Amino acid sequence: MIKVSVMYPNSEGCKFDMSYYLDKHMPMVREKLGAACKNTQVEQGLAGGEPGAPATYVAMGHLYFDSVEAFQGAFGPHAPDILADIPNYTDTQPVIQISEVKS
Amino acid sequence: MIKVSVMYPNSEGCKFDMSYYLDKHMPMVREKLGAACKNTQVEQGLAGGEPGAPATYVAMGHLYFDSVEAFQGAFGPHAPDILADIPNYTDTQPVIQISEVKS
């Protein structure tokens, strides 16, 4: 299983519309990716590790696939539509990471 | 539910012993945190979002708790022992984020 993490960097005054992300963006993403996407998770950053430190990421979205190839096959055709929706909920530029789920 | 993400930044030549992390560190952490820790996840970074880009994090570990207070109460007394084990598997300095699980 692989996990695609889309991490939105936090900064003073950055915009992130969690309601839009949860109610519009993620359902659209799941519909476009179809059965290849096995699961999704969404988190909102609360804090960093040190007392009083801000969260590194204002929000994170995670998508699970059986393999990198399954992700690429499902995401590629819809990448333009999915990426075009980002400005509707945030003014941040997400950092993307593909990871192998170990446990 | 809250999620504590411990993210180990990737860099050329950095050390991360995934076997030690999976077989020694995380079991020790789970044992010390006890029932307050509802779940754990471990991932190994494979790639970044752009073709050929490296993963931002060489590895990530996630711990789930009912609340920030539950995390602090369980982690605080064992923080010295848990943090002292980090050099046994990595020479990186982890970035920690506390997030609220939204979906």
Side-chain angles (χ1 to χ4, degrees):
Chain A
M1 184 77 71
I2 65 115
K3 176 179 180 177
V4 178
S5 296
V6 185
M7 305 178 283
Y8 299 87
N10 195 13
S11 64
E12 185 92 20
C14 72
K15 165 192 160 187
F16 194 94
D17 184 339
M18 182 57 80
S19 296
Y20 185 96
Y21 189 64
L22 286 171
D23 298 339
K24 306 275 190 184
H25 183 75
M26 289 300 283
M28 181 268 282
V29 169
R30 281 193 297 268
E31 190 265 327
K32 289 194 182 297
L33 296 177
C37 180
K38 301 303 180 187
N39 195 15
T40 62
Q41 293 173 336
V42 171
E43 296 137 28
Q44 186 157 29
L46 292 179
E50 302 296 321
T56 302
Y57 300 105
V58 64
M60 294 194 249
H62 309 283
L63 310 166
Y64 291 82
F65 298 86
D66 281 337
S67 65
V68 174
E69 294 69 28
F71 159 62
Q72 289 170 334
F75 182 77
H78 301 291
D81 285 346
I82 292 172
L83 299 178
D85 192 41
I86 295 179
N88 291 326
Y89 59 88
T90 188
D91 56 5
T92 70
Q93 288 283 340
V95 174
I96 296 172
Q97 163 146 353
I98 303 174
S99 303
E100 182 185 349
V101 177
K102 302 295 284 187
S103 78
Chain B
M1 183 78 71
I2 65 115
K3 176 179 181 177
V4 178
S5 296
V6 185
M7 304 178 283
Y8 299 87
N10 195 12
S11 65
E12 185 92 20
C14 72
K15 164 192 160 186
F16 195 93
D17 183 340
M18 182 56 80
S19 296
Y20 185 97
Y21 189 65
L22 287 171
D23 298 338
K24 307 274 191 183
H25 182 75
M26 288 301 283
M28 181 268 281
V29 169
R30 281 194 297 268
E31 191 265 326
K32 289 194 183 297
L33 296 178
C37 180
K38 301 302 181 188
N39 196 16
T40 63
Q41 293 175 335
V42 171
E43 296 138 26
Q44 185 156 29
L46 292 178
E50 301 297 319
T56 301
Y57 300 105
V58 64
M60 294 194 249
H62 309 283
L63 310 166
Y64 291 82
F65 298 85
D66 281 336
S67 66
V68 175
E69 294 70 28
F71 159 63
Q72 289 169 333
F75 183 75
H78 301 291
D81 285 346
I82 292 173
L83 299 177
D85 193 40
I86 294 179
N88 291 326
Y89 60 87
T90 188
D91 55 6
T92 70
Q93 288 284 340
V95 174
I96 296 173
Q97 164 146 352
I98 303 174
S99 302
E100 182 184 348
V101 177
K102 303 295 283 188
S103 79

